[in-house]
Amino acid sequence: MEIREMRAFVAVVEEGSLSAAARRLHVSQSALSQTVQTLERQLGVQLLLRSHTGARPTDAGKVLLQEARELIGHHDRIVAAVSGLPAATGSLRIGVPLELPADLLPTALTELSTVHQDLRVEVRHSSSVVQLAALQAGELDVALVRDRPTDPRFDAVLAVEESMGVILATARSEEIAEATGVRLHRLAGLAWIGFARSDTPAWYDQVAATLRSHGVAVADQPADEDRPVTPEVKLAAVGTGRAFAFASPGWARPLPEGMVWHPLIGDPIVRRTWAVWSATSRQRELAALIAALDVAMR
């Protein structure tokens, strides 16, 4: 049994229902139900009596409730005594880029909420450059960015790697795609609908250099056109059959009719997202979030 499972069970009993406990823990009701079922399988007993009015503990559940509360309290006292970290701040400000994998942050926050149940999370969408400036100014606690900073004032951990694929008009796809995907050099002659270099310069330069090394021309961005490219603009350009765009396999947006996504053969372009935070931070919730993201990459 794990502490997070104990916290989940205590929350269900205290709230009197799975739905109320799920709201308190910021997790889905189905995920919470699976946690309780896992506990019941581990212990070989029924812990909750479920009905249309809610959930209440069985005799075995009452025993577990008492022991779990003592165990959680003891666990938290150990953490506080050994780590010497300051008291929880109760909030976490997270910067995220566009096109972050849909399940990355919710999964990590679900893990975090089992330990810090009253945590308030604020999510801000912005470019990597803007996020790092906000982090340096103390306006963010953690930034999820595409360029790993070299500044020693920051620490970083790899949060996710994505092998990029390509979106093409169906007619163009039929001309250049193979059974296993598209070779990068076959995109020569098409325009790359990318992103603003000012958003994440190192990642932009890496993609541009890889394209050029495969014979795909990349036009320099005029300063007045170096601005975010919306998904609508990207797909409209691809739909003409004269352009292509990159997207990860888990890109959540359904493609319009007449377009198709293919993997790139050999994975020549891999997008990495880094979790970055101040090297001097001692925020307990931040440490738990970083640990959850780090585990996801193993």
Side-chain angles (χ1 to χ4, degrees):
M1 294 182 293
E2 300 179 5
I3 287 293
R4 66 178 184 84
E5 295 172 333
M6 298 293 98
R7 293 187 191 276
F9 175 74
V10 170
V12 173
V13 175
E14 290 180 347
E15 297 295 334
S17 72
L18 286 166
S19 58
R23 288 192 296 270
R24 168 175 153 180
L25 297 173
H26 306 291
V27 300
S28 68
Q29 185 172 334
S30 61
L32 185 56
S33 178
Q34 290 176 4
T35 297
V36 173
Q37 291 172 11
T38 297
L39 272 176
E40 290 178 328
R41 286 195 299 270
Q42 290 174 344
L43 296 172
V45 295
Q46 184 176 0
L47 298 173
L48 293 175
L49 295 174
R50 302 168 179 83
S51 69
H52 66 281
T53 60
R56 56 188 178 88
T58 62
D59 289 341
K62 292 176 183 177
V63 174
L64 178 61
L65 178 64
Q66 179 179 348
E67 297 294 336
R69 283 171 169 162
E70 292 181 6
L71 181 61
I72 292 169
H74 188 52
H75 169 272
D76 292 347
R77 288 191 296 272
I78 291 174
V79 171
V82 174
S83 67
L85 294 177
T89 63
S91 65
L92 196 62
R93 300 163 300 172
I94 306 172
V96 299
L98 294 176
E99 299 184 11
L100 190 69
D103 61 341
L104 176 65
L105 195 55
T107 299
L109 290 177
T110 295
E111 180 74 17
L112 183 61
S113 68
T114 63
V115 179
H116 301 284
Q117 301 175 16
D118 298 322
L119 179 66
R120 297 187 304 276
V121 176
E122 179 185 344
V123 176
R124 306 180 188 178
H125 287 85
S126 58
S127 69
S128 295
V129 169
V130 172
Q131 284 189 58
L132 290 176
L135 190 63
Q136 186 172 346
E139 298 169 358
L140 284 178
D141 298 306
V142 61
L144 295 173
V145 298
R146 300 278 154 68
D147 294 346
R148 179 175 183 173
T150 58
D151 192 325
R153 291 174 296 178
F154 297 134
D155 282 336
V157 67
L158 184 60
V160 64
E161 288 183 323
E162 303 168 275
S163 295
M164 303 300 286
V166 61
I167 302 174
L168 294 166
T170 302
R172 184 66 66 184
S173 165
E174 293 173 351
E175 296 175 1
I176 66 176
E178 302 176 20
T180 56
V182 173
R183 298 186 185 278
L184 197 58
H185 71 271
R186 297 299 305 277
L187 299 175
L190 300 178
W192 172 40
I193 308 302
F195 50 90
R197 185 181 183 278
S198 59
D199 285 354
T200 173
W203 169 235
Y204 180 94
D205 291 346
Q206 179 183 343
V207 174
T210 301
L211 286 172
R212 288 174 177 137
S213 71
H214 285 73
V216 182
V218 177
D220 294 331
Q221 288 186 350
D224 61 347
E225 294 183 9
D226 189 20
R227 55 182 180 269
V229 179
T230 66
E232 291 76 15
V233 170
K234 180 186 296 187
L235 293 177
V238 170
T240 66
R242 297 189 295 273
F244 68 90
F246 293 128
S248 66
W251 201 49
R253 179 179 294 266
L255 291 177
E257 185 177 355
M259 295 185 198
V260 62
W261 179 92
H262 290 285
L264 289 171
I265 296 174
D267 295 333
I269 298 179
V270 177
R271 183 171 67 189
R272 295 172 178 84
T273 302
W274 303 86
V276 181
W277 66 97
S278 171
T280 60
S281 175
R282 292 175 62 79
Q283 189 175 349
R284 190 178 303 170
E285 301 94 336
L286 173 59
L289 176 64
I290 298 304
L293 292 171
D294 191 24
V295 167
M297 277 302 299
R298 295 178 184 174

